[in-house]
Amino acid sequence: MSTIVVVGAQWGDEGKGKVVDCLSARADMVVRFNGGANAGHTIVVAREEYVLHLVPSGAVREDAACVIGNGCVVDAGLLLEEYDDLKRRGIDLTDRLFVSGFAHLVLPHHKAADGALEDSSSAPIGTTRRGIGPAYCDKYARYGVRVEDLLDDRDLRAKLEAAYAYRARWTGSGDYPPIDEVYGQLAEEGKRLAPFIVDTSLLINGYIADGKNVLFEGAQGSLLDVDFGTYPFVTSSNPVAPFAAIGSGVGLDRLDYALGVVKAYLTRVGEGPFPTELTDSTGEYLRERGYEYGRSTGRPRRCGWLDLVPLRLAARVNGLHGAVVSKLDVLDELEEIPVCTAYRLRGKIFGEMPLPVALIAEAEPVYETLPGWKTDTSGITSWDDLPKKAQAYLRFIEEGCGVPVVAISVGQRRDQIIWLEEVF
Ligand code: IMP
């Protein structure tokens, strides 16, 4: 038996979907444990591209069970759309999709509130507008509607009314879709989803007890974590590895290995501080070469140099055992590659994130510039064949954050990954 938790070590979009897909070849089960349809995990199989928002990336492997854990928030309509779309493309999840009854629903009024809050804020977060924040707010306020409520029509109606009444107490009645309409739609969706709704904690623990391989798939990235990220410019869940235990209902001793995905440079979508951001033609170059556009919203991603300061935080709070460096090939043509090793801030040097964390907005990055390798790495299949300068870049990352590099991804395809160690 083995389990692995795959998480993003930066601001999301590190290429987790591909890594999860590759590792899924050995997984009996893939479990999403945080977030919702704000995620956009891209997997390329031959000429087909799949972009998954809610369904775990293990879906495109025929045998893996796909679990949406209790730590997620579920947009029932979107989940069914994704299910139907996969079915049209020859991937049938009928007997292998499982949704936790304890997960909370993202309701139409959450999406409306998400958009309205962004539009009226003087400092918008740049959310995906998928209702994620308001859904988690209701969860923690104890006025959420859970997936299990779809199993009982009367209960569903009562919970929905309580959720609307709660929100009205805070924000007025708002411009929300009428409750009758929402109830009717949810009741329909509930009928279709009912066969998939189970106690997923029981199921996952059963798999582990039977000696099967379970992969926990994080969404977003560690720097978007609501506790450890660049608050308030974060998401509303905990995308870090230890949350895999809470977000899926397994004990801590069931998590064997934490694998962080680290993009060879850095991107961010939405607002918030980004000390190494490049707003010039080099940033534009990275965006075009790396095709850095959000998969959930189509927004262009902000691009910049790799930053070891928040990466050290990610290594620590995730307890990373190993790192996959992704998109190394995007840097192939560069003459030289700066990496931020520390911040200069108010006359001091910081190797770790300062307090208050918002100060990083005024941090001046201290760069160490490494030579580029000026070689096409996209077809390379072994460490020894990588250019020496690319090897040095990878070793530099490893030493800079204290986590061994266990794999390097050099392109979108499944075969474009070099494993240095077997981790799962
Ligand atoms: P929310 O998760 O939609 O509330 O958005 C909060 C912040 O997280 C915004 O900056 C989003 O752009 C960012 N975000 C949410 N999901 C992802 C993701 O999957 N990749 C990258 N950024 C994300």
Side-chain angles (χ1 to χ4, degrees), residues 125-258:
I125 289 163
T127 72
T128 58
R129 296 176 177 248
R130 300 236 164 157
I132 307 299
Y136 277 110
C137 277
D138 282 7
K139 167 176 173 171
Y140 288 105
R142 292 157 295 171
Y143 279 92
V145 184
R146 305 211 295 187
V147 168
E148 65 178 355
D149 298 324
L150 294 173
L151 297 173
D152 178 333
D153 277 0
R154 261 196 324 188
D155 211 30
L156 175 63
R157 177 86 204 193
K159 294 270 170 53
L160 208 51
E161 277 168 7
Y164 264 63
Y166 165 74
R167 195 148 281 272
R169 277 179 11 228
W170 283 99
T171 57
S173 49
D175 191 13
Y176 302 139
I179 199 160
D180 287 335
E181 195 182 292
V182 174
Y183 170 70
Q185 188 185 326
L186 269 181
E188 283 308 307
E189 289 163 354
K191 284 194 191 79
R192 285 197 64 201
L193 281 178
F196 306 115
I197 302 171
V198 295
D199 179 343
T200 48
S201 163
L202 201 57
L203 185 75
I204 300 165
N205 279 281
Y207 265 61
I208 295 175
D210 286 347
K212 294 183 173 159
N213 292 337
V214 178
L215 188 157
F216 298 89
E217 174 182 24
Q220 290 84 48
S222 308
L223 304 179
L224 288 171
D225 185 279
V226 67
D227 286 277
F228 299 110
T230 45
Y231 195 89
F233 299 100
V234 293
T235 190
S236 301
S237 70
N238 294 99
V240 291
F243 195 76
I246 296 166
S248 61
V250 302
L252 289 175
D253 63 344
R254 300 292 188 274
L255 306 178
D256 294 335
Y257 193 99

Side-chain angles (χ1 to χ4, degrees), residues 6-152:
V6 180
V7 291
Q10 294 155 319
W11 275 300
D13 309 313
E14 298 90 352
K16 294 178 293 297
K18 176 198 164 155
V19 174
V20 169
D21 173 56
C22 289
L23 292 170
S24 294
R26 307 196 47 197
D28 298 296
M29 174 182 270
V30 180
V31 184
R32 274 277 307 267
F33 60 85
N34 79 293
N38 47 348
H41 295 157
T42 310
I43 300 151
V44 176
V45 185
R47 292 189 172 188
E48 288 282 315
E49 183 181 91
Y50 300 90
V51 181
L52 301 173
H53 299 288
L54 264 168
V55 168
S57 300
V60 298
R61 299 278 179 181
E62 272 166 27
D63 319 319
C66 293
V67 177
I68 299 178
N70 55 280
C72 297
V73 286
V74 177
D75 182 327
L78 267 177
L79 176 58
L80 286 167
E81 262 177 44
E82 209 159 283
Y83 172 88
D84 290 339
D85 183 52
L86 285 168
K87 196 164 190 169
R88 263 194 302 278
R89 299 173 72 179
I91 295 175
D92 191 357
L93 294 175
T94 308
D95 297 319
R96 59 187 183 101
L97 176 66
F98 304 95
V99 186
S100 168
F102 295 168
H104 280 246
L105 290 171
V106 177
L107 299 168
H109 71 276
H110 294 138
K111 289 188 267 190
D114 198 357
L117 284 165
E118 283 287 279
D119 291 338
S120 61
S121 169
S122 56
I125 289 163
T127 72
T128 58
R129 296 176 177 248
R130 300 236 164 157
I132 307 299
Y136 277 110
C137 277
D138 282 7
K139 167 176 173 171
Y140 288 105
R142 292 157 295 171
Y143 279 92
V145 184
R146 305 211 295 187
V147 168
E148 65 178 355
D149 298 324
L150 294 173
L151 297 173
D152 178 333

Side-chain angles (χ1 to χ4, degrees), residues 363-380:
E364 182 197 329
V366 177
Y367 286 114
E368 183 151 340
T369 299
L370 283 84
W373 41 94
K374 309 271 288 166
T375 309
D376 179 2
T377 57
S378 65
I380 292 179

Side-chain angles (χ1 to χ4, degrees), residues 307-377:
D307 188 346
L308 294 176
V309 182
L311 193 54
R312 289 179 192 124
L313 170 95
R316 175 162 38 89
V317 299
N318 285 293
L320 293 183
H321 295 95
V324 178
V325 174
S326 64
K327 298 187 113 170
L328 186 75
D329 56 302
V330 173
L331 306 181
D332 280 352
E333 288 178 358
L334 296 175
E335 207 62 58
E336 44 187 35
I337 309 167
V339 177
C340 173
T341 57
Y343 296 149
R344 188 171 287 113
L345 189 62
R346 300 188 174 176
K348 286 193 192 151
I349 297 291
F350 288 80
E352 298 283 350
M353 297 287 265
L355 280 182
V357 71
L359 279 180
I360 72 164
E362 48 181 275
E364 182 197 329
V366 177
Y367 286 114
E368 183 151 340
T369 299
L370 283 84
W373 41 94
K374 309 271 288 166
T375 309
D376 179 2
T377 57

